Amino acid sequence: MADLFFYGTLCHPPLLAAVLGREVPVTPARLAGHSVFWAAGQNFPLIVEGGAGAEGVLAEGLGPADLARLDHYEGGFDYRTRDLAVDAGGRRVVARVYFPDPGRWTPGAPWRLEDWVAHWGAVAVEASAEVMRLMGTRPARDIARRYRMILMHAASRLRARDGGPARLRRRAVKGDVALAAWAQPYARFFAVEEYDLSYRRFDGTMSETVNRAAFISSDASVVLPYDPVRDRVLVIEQFRLGPYARGDGEPWLIEAI
């Protein structure tokens, strides 16, 4: 069993529960002599030595399965644990703390959990489901290389849940699809997922189990500029991550020419 001190995104209870696969009690805690900053150009923080102290939470008594899930989630971004003494509820507790490998990330602005939750919380929690579902199927570093695409997939799912005009005879509800098996046989810039599932028919009965495949991308727009003199076109693709986006609230666009 081990105690963990979290100072960044895992202080957000929904994300911690999604990563661990269960809810765990935490205690407000503080690591003296350290500071927390945004990783420059990223949507997560890093901790560095020096400063007045890092505020966070302490999770106690985590088991081997919990630690394996945390290492999977953090390891792809080159974070490793150190044992340090933290103050929690008037006690001094030795806890594991995730630090980035030296030189891996550059400190940016001072970190505030509230800012991250406002701009990234919902999409990060949604994305964590895909990250954790891939545990044991691919190395954590391979998953981390695709993390921005995973964020875009998550943002698209969140927008889809906002709903729209329903013109079908019946609106789908939870329980209308029963998932028997899931696999992701291909994942790079895009991904392919396979599902064994059954679904509710319009007469109310459930179908037999069927296999279906889905091509996973994100919301995108295509612009086709045309030069009539040279009779040429220029293709520019934009993949939209917002509004569940970067820290300044603007959509994050990835362009490919």
Side-chain angles (χ1 to χ4, degrees):
M1 309 296 281
D3 303 331
L4 273 290
F5 172 76
F6 302 119
Y7 55 85
T9 62
L10 290 174
C11 291
H12 186 44
L15 181 61
L16 182 59
V19 170
L20 293 180
R22 64 189 183 95
E23 293 184 359
V24 297
V26 297
T27 304
R30 187 172 185 272
L31 176 60
H34 290 76
S35 301
V36 183
F37 299 91
W38 287 89
Q42 305 297 325
N43 68 324
F44 52 82
L46 58 83
I47 192 168
V48 299
E49 295 183 14
E55 304 294 333
V57 297
L58 178 70
E60 300 179 83
L62 299 185
D66 299 317
L67 300 179
R69 292 177 70 90
L70 289 166
D71 285 344
H72 167 77
Y73 188 76
E74 298 281 2
F77 296 94
D78 299 321
Y79 279 67
R80 314 282 181 253
T81 57
R82 302 180 195 171
D83 290 340
L84 295 172
V86 301
D87 298 309
R91 298 174 295 138
R92 192 80 163 164
V93 179
V94 175
R96 297 183 186 181
V97 185
Y98 279 98
F99 280 80
D101 288 348
R104 181 65 177 90
W105 306 107
T106 302
W111 163 264
R112 275 174 38 94
L113 178 64
E114 296 83 358
D115 296 338
W116 177 86
V117 170
H119 294 292
W120 288 99
V123 72
V125 173
E126 181 69 23
S128 68
E130 183 172 346
V131 173
M132 299 312 300
R133 188 163 54 177
L134 292 169
M135 182 178 175
T137 68
R138 288 177 177 78
R141 181 163 292 184
D142 289 351
I143 299 169
R145 291 192 188 101
R146 295 186 55 249
Y147 187 63
R148 285 195 175 178
M149 284 305 302
I150 291 173
L151 284 173
M152 285 190 277
H153 299 164
S156 296
R157 289 194 295 271
L158 289 175
R159 284 191 291 273
R161 289 176 193 162
D162 288 342
R167 296 181 175 87
L168 299 178
R169 288 176 289 168
R170 178 180 179 278
R171 183 186 292 273
V173 297
K174 185 177 181 180
D176 283 348
V177 176
L179 183 64
W182 171 89
Q184 193 180 73
Y186 175 84
R188 290 189 183 277
F189 189 80
F190 297 107
V192 174
E193 296 181 349
E194 286 193 11
Y195 299 84
D196 291 339
L197 56 86
S198 58
Y199 57 89
R200 193 174 307 282
R201 301 184 178 97
F202 281 113
D203 65 4
T205 63
M206 295 297 289
S207 72
E208 70 281 2
T209 299
V210 297
N211 177 266
R212 295 291 184 265
F215 179 78
I216 307 300
S217 63
S218 58
D219 294 347
S221 60
V222 177
V223 178
L224 189 64
Y226 172 64
D227 184 342
V229 176
R230 294 185 298 168
D231 192 26
R232 294 290 187 270
V233 297
L234 173 66
V235 177
I236 303 173
E237 294 179 319
Q238 293 187 325
F239 298 89
R240 180 169 178 263
L241 180 57
Y244 309 94
R246 63 192 190 201
D248 58 10
E250 292 298 320
W252 197 319
L253 299 179
I254 299 177
E255 298 186 356
I257 299 177

